[in-house]
Amino acid sequence: MYIVIAGAGRLGLILAKGLQEKKHQVCLIDKDKRLCNLLAREFDKIMVVCGDATFPDVLRDAQIEKANVTVAATSTDEDNIIFSYFAKELFGVKRTVSRVNNPKHTPLYKYMNVDNPVDSTSIIAGVIEEEASFSDVMTLLSIKKGRLSIVRVDIPENSPIANKSLKEIKLPSNSVLISVLRGPEIIIPSGSTTILAGDEVIATTLINTEEDLTKALIGKV
Amino acid sequence: MKYIIIIGCSRTGRVLARELADNHNVAVVDKNLKNLDALKEDFNGKKIWADALDVNTLEDAGIKEADAVFLLTGNDNLNVVVGKASRRKYGVKKVVLQVNDPVKKEIFKEEGLTIINKTDILSEVLKKCIL
């Protein structure tokens, strides 16, 4: 794939290196001349274009019309929006991904038809919340606009399934236990796997059975 | 009497705000407090110290009721993004924005958007001075 990234800051650079290692062709665009010179010398496999990525001429230099994907990774939201808009509207790039620096700016990304605004602040907030959470059930991932979710459940001492094997446990329909985390150990459970208090159980469930699943695993809602 | 929002309150925005406020309801938005402070107490309008890229700011400024929006920050890209949103999302009838780069000015032409450029205007005026 050919990927054009606007903004060679920390994010842009990490992405460029990672994608290049996976054998993708990568082009980085940045305004900072000194940085561009440095990068061009250090990474001979990454194409570096020096210029303002919100100008069509600069994008032409980056051969953006050949890109399969563009990534807007500058620290300025209006620049990310205009870059993605040009990529799509002027150069026909199919997929435009963009970093959202300030979550309050997300609606404007949507009004300007950026395909995938990635709101890093909210994502990190979610991860931190998950790490710091004391609740027994945590949604790790929701798919299909939340209809299907993958949840993590901490099994308490008084759980109705503690010390029972999977065979003996009756789960609500539309729910599956997919793994058990016990300290450093990751167990892909089979019928004979016994659940212990203190285990973290990863399960997948539909939205309307999430409550039943919680009840089955920890005994209350 | 019209309801007018001016985003970007440096020199041009300020002069415009003062003049329009005599006959219209005017709200000015700027993220730089100094620019707003330069509009003294005698300014007969609303001053909003906030980030125009945040739709809450636009809605607090009353964009849904606005008859016209001016975008006069020095940032072409911001002017375009907020200008387009004012038109497309909020259906403001008259949106006037300053875009200094001539290439971008052409690209973002759209019905209902009046795009102005200081250099063009000045050169028109200069020509008229001698003709």
Side-chain angles (χ1 to χ4, degrees), chain A residues 54 78-79 105 108 111, chain B residues 51 53-54 75 77 89 104:
Chain A
T54 71
E78 61 270 27
D79 293 352
H105 299 165
L108 289 176
Y111 302 157
Chain B
D51 169 19
L53 284 167
D54 178 350
N75 181 334
N77 292 344
K89 172 70 183 165
K104 286 183 189 167

Side-chain angles (χ1 to χ4, degrees), chain A residues 52 54-57 76-79 81-82 85-86 90 102 104-105 107-108 111-113, chain B residues 51-55 58 75 77-78 80-82 84-85 88-90 101 103-104 107-108:
Chain A
D52 182 334
T54 71
F55 282 85
D57 283 349
T76 320
D77 283 324
E78 61 270 27
D79 293 352
I81 294 174
I82 297 288
Y85 179 88
F86 281 166
L90 296 183
N102 181 341
K104 289 181 177 159
H105 299 165
L108 289 176
Y111 302 157
M112 292 291 276
N113 291 328
Chain B
D51 169 19
L53 284 167
D54 178 350
V55 290
L58 301 176
N75 181 334
N77 292 344
L78 185 147
V80 166
V81 170
V82 179
K84 291 240 172 203
R88 289 181 185 177
K89 172 70 183 165
Y90 298 104
D101 179 68
V103 178
K104 286 183 189 167
I107 294 171
F108 290 111

